[in-house]
Amino acid sequence: YEAVIDSTNRNLPGANGTTVPQMSLSVRRTRFIRDRLYERVQVVNHGSGPAHTRLRVSFGADFADMFEVRGARHRDHRGEVMAPTVSDAGVLFGYLGEDGVLRRTVVRCDPEPPEVRVSDDRARATWHLELRPGDMFRLLIEIEPSLDDEVLERSTWDDAQECVRKDICAWEDECARLTSDSRLLDRLLASSRR
């Protein structure tokens, strides 16, 4: 129910002509879906010196039809994809469908990026990081779909993650279980469900 992606850096240009050495920063991305997509990005400096670099995240929304996404032929007519905009709510992507329904995707970041650039169909947010050895930068991204400007109730990362965990536990309780007379096999079977 949750994806965790661990990675590290290559040699990066730092401030004032310095270099952030390869494998000195760890980047952990954790994401899950509830009523929206939640993603947390953590950058930790494991190096022996300070790391001055930037974190850049690009966003886009094409509002492709599900049948197109799954490989069906493209439609002759589509609705209107609107250029992304930046507001107090975050970065807004919009699509007015042929059915007259306004579909939006709102991207919120915490902390807010000090720099956001918008192009024709994409937005790029940038944070300038100054991490001492052992320091961590944590970014929370929420990507929320909506129809006709509906507003969904927002949950914190922890509350949404706990709701998803409870839903998974309830689902697992309803699933069929296999048991045997071997404790080892039973443990293997139990771990394969997770």
Side-chain angles (χ1 to χ4, degrees):
Y1 72 92
E2 186 175 85
V4 178
I5 303 127
D6 285 315
S7 58
T8 188
N9 65 295
R10 57 179 169 77
N11 283 334
L12 296 172
N16 302 324
T18 62
T19 299
V20 178
Q22 181 175 347
M23 297 179 63
S24 59
L25 300 177
S26 66
V27 179
R28 172 171 277 191
R29 298 173 60 188
T30 307
R31 61 171 54 165
F32 65 92
I33 295 175
R34 186 168 179 245
D35 55 345
R36 67 198 73 215
L37 177 105
Y38 291 85
E39 180 160 357
R40 184 173 56 202
V41 180
Q42 294 179 161
V43 181
V44 179
N45 181 3
H46 296 285
S48 58
H52 301 281
T53 190
R54 65 180 171 255
L55 174 66
R56 187 172 287 151
V57 181
S58 294
F59 306 103
D62 63 7
F63 297 95
D65 184 283
M66 184 54 68
F67 295 109
E68 291 175 302
V69 171
R70 299 183 98 194
R73 68 181 180 91
H74 290 282
R75 298 185 341 219
D76 294 333
H77 303 292
R78 297 196 75 207
E80 177 187 353
V81 176
M82 300 170 186
T85 59
V86 179
S87 76
D88 291 340
V91 178
L92 305 172
F93 296 90
Y95 175 80
L96 183 59
E98 288 184 296
D99 57 1
V101 175
L102 177 63
R103 293 161 176 85
R104 287 193 185 268
T105 298
V106 180
V107 180
R108 291 184 190 86
C109 299
D110 183 18
E112 291 182 10
E115 181 182 327
V116 179
R117 295 191 181 193
V118 175
S119 66
D120 294 337
D121 62 346
R122 301 192 66 73
R124 185 175 73 194
T126 304
W127 293 262
H128 299 279
L129 306 183
E130 295 184 14
L131 301 172
R132 295 183 312 256
D135 280 358
M136 176 178 64
F137 173 78
R138 180 178 285 165
L139 168 65
L140 178 61
I141 302 169
E142 293 180 17
I143 302 175
E144 175 188 330
S146 68
L147 296 175
D148 284 328
D149 290 327
E150 71 179 333
V151 177
L152 301 175
E153 184 177 325
R154 292 180 68 192
S155 299
T156 66
W157 169 279
D158 292 334
D159 289 345
Q161 193 176 47
E162 182 61 26
C163 285
V164 170
R165 283 188 180 136
K166 285 180 181 177
D167 290 346
I168 293 293
C169 287
W171 174 79
E172 284 180 341
D173 287 345
E174 294 176 4
C175 289
R177 287 194 172 54
L178 299 174
T179 58
S180 72
D181 56 359
S182 167
R183 288 182 57 196
L184 176 61
L185 180 57
D186 285 346
R187 286 200 331 245
L188 279 169
L189 290 169
S191 68
S192 71
R193 290 193 340 246
R194 299 193 186 271

